[in-house]
Amino acid sequence: LLTWMPRVKTDANGQAIVRFPMNGSLTRFRVVAVAHAGVDKFGMGEASIVTQQDVSVLTALGQVARQGDLLTVQNTVRNSTKSAMQGTLSGKVRFTHADGRVTSVDLPARSLNLGPQGSELVTMGDVAIPDSAVKADYLLEYKDSSGKVVDRVALVQDVKPAIWPRTWMAQLNQIGDKNTLVSVELPSEARKDQGGVRVSLMPSLAS
């Protein structure tokens, strides 16, 4: 349900103007109106509304990626008008890292000449997902020849570790008055930025 207006007053001709937000991209809406007058007059009417932008950007990017992935950024730009359109598609990727840092990469802009009711598959290069990234935010913008933003696409990509940490050794020790020494060593094939040693202390095994 997009919007609900329980009380709309009509004019002397039984007409009313209502305003509600609609998506700019290709979307179909169903509008239903229920009217009544007095205690014994009722009526209902409905209609369908289709909205679409002059130019739409559809991205092929997924919502999940892995650290270390190399992704090719491809987008389809569609012209829904009966006239040729000229414009530019640009983009930016912002990475959030595990330590809180934020870095960004600008995607190379592409100039487009779209025919009437035509579309074009646009490749904007490859994006390397950093090994420490946990999230990637993509922002794509299509601007017409006058520089006006016609369509904007924002996508949040969840970045998962390519290699999940796993337990290589577990040891149970009884701590007494003397020092307890446990020898640990980083496996030769382990990544230095992941994993670690976890120590837990408890008064008894029954705790």
Side-chain angles (χ1 to χ4, degrees):
L1 183 64
L2 178 64
T3 186
W4 164 252
M5 299 181 182
R7 190 180 299 273
V8 177
K9 188 176 181 180
T10 63
D11 58 17
N13 298 321
Q15 298 178 346
I17 297 177
V18 296
R19 294 179 173 86
F20 55 91
M22 294 189 298
N23 295 339
S25 58
L26 182 61
T27 310
R28 180 182 295 273
F29 298 92
R30 181 187 177 203
V31 181
V32 178
V34 178
H36 69 89
V39 296
D40 58 350
K41 295 181 181 180
F42 296 89
M44 186 179 73
E46 63 178 72
S48 294
I49 302 174
V50 177
T51 62
Q52 64 179 15
Q53 296 184 150
D54 291 343
V55 178
S56 300
V57 179
L58 307 174
T59 182
L61 291 165
Q63 295 184 337
V64 179
R66 296 183 306 173
Q67 296 171 348
D69 280 352
L70 184 64
L71 305 180
T72 299
V73 181
Q74 289 186 325
N75 310 284
T76 299
V77 183
R78 180 178 300 163
N79 177 15
S80 60
T81 69
K82 296 181 180 180
S83 303
M85 299 283 288
Q86 295 181 346
T88 303
L89 181 65
S90 61
K92 175 179 289 188
V93 189
R94 187 180 65 179
F95 297 107
T96 302
H97 299 260
D99 58 2
R101 291 182 298 112
V102 176
T103 59
S104 61
V105 175
D106 291 325
L107 300 174
R110 296 287 187 259
S111 298
L112 303 175
N113 293 310
L114 301 173
Q117 296 183 336
S119 62
E120 183 175 339
L121 180 63
V122 183
T123 301
M124 305 183 70
D126 296 331
V127 172
I129 306 297
D131 292 336
S132 59
V134 295
K135 187 179 69 168
D137 294 274
Y138 294 81
L139 180 62
L140 307 171
E141 286 186 342
Y142 176 84
K143 297 181 180 179
D144 60 16
S145 56
S146 66
K148 178 183 177 181
V149 177
V150 179
D151 194 17
R152 179 184 289 114
V153 175
L155 173 71
V156 178
Q157 196 172 62
D158 190 17
V159 179
K160 301 293 187 181
I163 302 175
W164 290 89
R166 56 177 175 170
T167 302
W168 281 82
M169 185 185 77
Q171 184 170 328
L172 181 65
N173 291 79
Q174 183 176 2
I175 306 300
D177 296 335
K178 297 182 180 180
N179 294 333
T180 300
L181 300 178
V182 178
S183 298
V184 294
E185 182 180 358
L186 187 70
S188 58
E189 67 276 14
R191 293 180 51 173
K192 295 183 180 181
D193 60 338
Q194 289 187 359
V197 178
R198 186 172 63 182
V199 178
S200 299
L201 299 177
M202 59 185 65
S204 67
L205 293 177
S207 300

